Amino acid sequence: MTATLTPLTGIPFNRPYLCGLEREYVGEAIGLGALSGDGPFTARATGLLSRLVDAPEALLATSCTHALEMAAILLDLRPGDEVIMPSFTFVSTANAFALRGAVPVFVDCRPDTLNLDERLVEGAITSRTRAIVVVHYGGVACEMSTITAVAARHGLAVIEDNAHGLGGTYRGRPLGSFGALATQSFHVTKNVQCGEGGALIFNDLSYFSRAEIVREKGTNRSQFFRGMVDKYRWVDVGSSYLPADLLAAFLTAQLEAFDDIQRRRHAVWSAYDTRLAAWAFDRGAARPVVPVSCEHPAHLYQLLMRDTADRQEFIRHLGHRGVQAAFHYLPLHSAPAGRRYGRTAPGGCPVTEDVADRLVRLPLFAGMTASELDQVIDAVISYRR
């Protein structure tokens, strides 16, 4: 029996946006026979991405998760090494380092931007600390001046999990350009997507040659195809982190349309922020905070409701009006695997626990129509609990 998928009614939380050239480019890749990785579209997409983040080099990967795993390998982490990171993030941020035997050290987030609280980072450092991983929540930058200064004082690597942040800036500088390494996501829910995909960005080129080997199953296959060696061998640990050129073709179309995608998303984000301001003030709901030093990429629009019950009732209310809203991360420090593989920094993560229980995200996608936007806003302001 063949299963049939029933289309969602109403306004979904996310709808993939196609700029129009995806099919053409995928067809071109098929015509060229460029189906596996590192073909012509991989080169085009990599060049576009490098320019966006102002990085000297980048490598496409099969996901942001895999890019983080590559970063963990490149840092030569050993069992018992510690990596500082926020508890308020996706599981991949921690999993990549736990897979190497390293211990994620969970630090609380700020109550305004929901980013890693830079004031707590130094107190979490021990003799075993090897790196600090920052996550730019919603594409709003962490306080990178403070964090990079702390890292420099202690000789630690900084890794940017920039899954949300492509197109965002901190003090005029692109997110993804601060860490020795940075990772990007091109999951279907991201501003620019190819269904599943990611990238590893190199601001410290000393990692690049080895990264090519790690990405190609631990072999020097890339050097072989460039004619640098007469045969390729297994020379290091690694895995299959290289995406097909078909995905790179799809991604190329998206990256070429980046400005248009961002214009559309910013229009939705700004409409939410302006038209919901009075309602949020009356309801005691907190809107996103964007410091003056930051430019955000309109990745998501979140509200912090008064408490968990208020959040759940609000989501139900929107659902009854055909609007799909969503909560977000569950704290990693209190998750079963977080307790098993990680530890919590002194002072715990009370802010993380609080915001995780109250946060709700509204639908936001580049193809949202004016009538859909009106429907979401009308549904929100009709909530009076």
Side-chain angles (χ1 to χ4, degrees):
M1 179 182 291
T2 304
T4 1
L5 296 177
T6 306
L8 289 171
T9 57
I11 300 173
F13 175 70
N14 178 67
R15 182 188 299 137
Y17 177 74
L18 301 183
C19 70
L21 289 175
E22 289 87 353
R23 288 183 178 87
E24 179 182 328
Y25 285 179
V26 169
E28 187 178 331
I30 292 170
L32 291 169
L35 306 185
S36 60
D38 268 344
F41 280 105
T42 299
R44 284 174 63 174
T46 301
L48 290 164
L49 176 61
S50 296
R51 288 192 288 276
L52 272 177
V53 296
D54 194 23
E57 288 287 357
L59 289 173
L60 295 191
T62 33
S63 66
C64 187
T65 299
H66 283 165
L68 284 163
E69 290 179 14
M70 289 174 64
I73 293 171
L74 294 171
L75 290 178
D76 277 326
L77 296 175
R78 299 290 185 264
D81 288 347
E82 295 182 347
V83 179
I84 291 170
M85 65 184 64
S87 174
F88 193 62
T89 184
F90 191 56
V91 61
S92 296
T93 311
N95 229 356
F97 300 96
L99 280 167
R100 309 307 304 166
V103 178
V105 177
F106 299 114
V107 172
D108 210 357
C109 65
R110 292 169 51 132
D112 51 1
T113 62
L114 313 185
N115 282 327
L116 179 71
D117 192 330
E118 70 282 358
R119 299 164 298 182
L120 305 177
V121 170
E122 200 149 26
I125 294 172
T126 72
S127 61
R128 290 181 172 271
T129 307
R130 297 291 177 267
I132 302 169
V133 181
V134 300
V135 179
H136 304 298
Y137 185 76
V140 176
C142 296
E143 281 298 329
M144 295 308 298
S145 294
T146 301
I147 292 169
T148 54
V150 169
R153 281 199 297 273
H154 295 272
L156 305 176
V158 174
I159 308 298
E160 287 178 87
D161 181 341
N162 198 36
H164 294 183
L166 186 62
T169 67
Y170 175 76
R171 299 186 176 180
R173 185 170 156 186
L175 300 187
S177 68
F178 291 88
L181 300 167
T183 63
Q184 299 290 161
S185 174
F186 303 120
H187 185 262
V188 69
T189 57
K190 300 303 186 288
N191 295 28
V192 166
Q193 54 90 18
C194 58
E196 295 278 0
L200 185 59
I201 307 296
F202 299 85
N203 299 302
D204 182 343
L205 287 177
S206 67
Y207 292 104
F208 184 73
S209 294
R210 187 180 179 213
E212 284 193 308
I213 290 169
V214 168
R215 189 177 69 145
E216 280 278 22
K217 303 95 176 167
T219 72
N220 55 352
R221 188 168 180 262
S222 295
Q223 295 175 4
F224 170 71
F225 282 117
R226 288 197 293 265
M228 298 169 66
V229 292
D230 62 348
K231 60 180 71 69
Y232 67 88
R233 302 172 182 273
W234 180 25
V235 296
D236 202 344
V237 296
S239 191
S240 185
Y241 295 129
L242 180 62
D245 215 51
L246 290 170
L247 290 177
F250 192 108
L251 181 61
T252 298
Q254 293 265 306
L255 287 168
E256 288 178 347
F258 185 75
D259 290 344
D260 177 58
I261 290 170
Q262 291 303 99
R263 177 183 58 79
R264 292 168 175 271
R265 294 185 70 99
H266 273 285
V268 176
W269 196 101
S270 297
Y272 281 155
D273 207 48
T274 301
R275 295 169 62 183
L276 297 179
W279 172 87
F281 179 80
D282 292 341
R283 291 283 309 130
R287 294 178 295 144
V289 174
V290 183
V292 293
S293 57
C294 305
E295 292 182 9
H296 69 89
H299 176 59
L300 58 84
Y301 193 90
Q302 81 274 7
L303 295 165
L304 285 175
M305 307 303 287
R306 290 177 301 184
D307 52 39
T308 306
D310 192 32
R311 190 264 301 272
Q312 295 306 101
E313 184 58 33
F314 180 56
I315 291 175
R316 281 194 292 271
H317 169 87
L318 295 180
H320 290 154
R321 283 155 181 77
V323 174
Q324 184 183 50
F327 54 86
H328 213 180
Y329 305 131
L330 299 178
L332 294 186
H333 72 279
S334 56
R339 292 194 299 267
R340 180 177 179 183
Y341 297 113
R343 71 172 180 85
T344 305
C349 299
V351 177
T352 298
E353 293 167 1
D354 174 55
V355 300
D357 284 343
R358 297 191 290 123
L359 187 143
V360 58
R361 295 174 293 158
L362 300 181
L364 202 169
F365 43 89
M368 183 177 280
T369 65
S371 61
E372 288 175 325
L373 179 59
D374 289 342
Q375 184 180 335
V376 176
I377 291 172
D378 290 345
V380 170
I381 62 179
S382 69
Y383 178 67
R384 297 293 179 185
R385 178 180 181 273

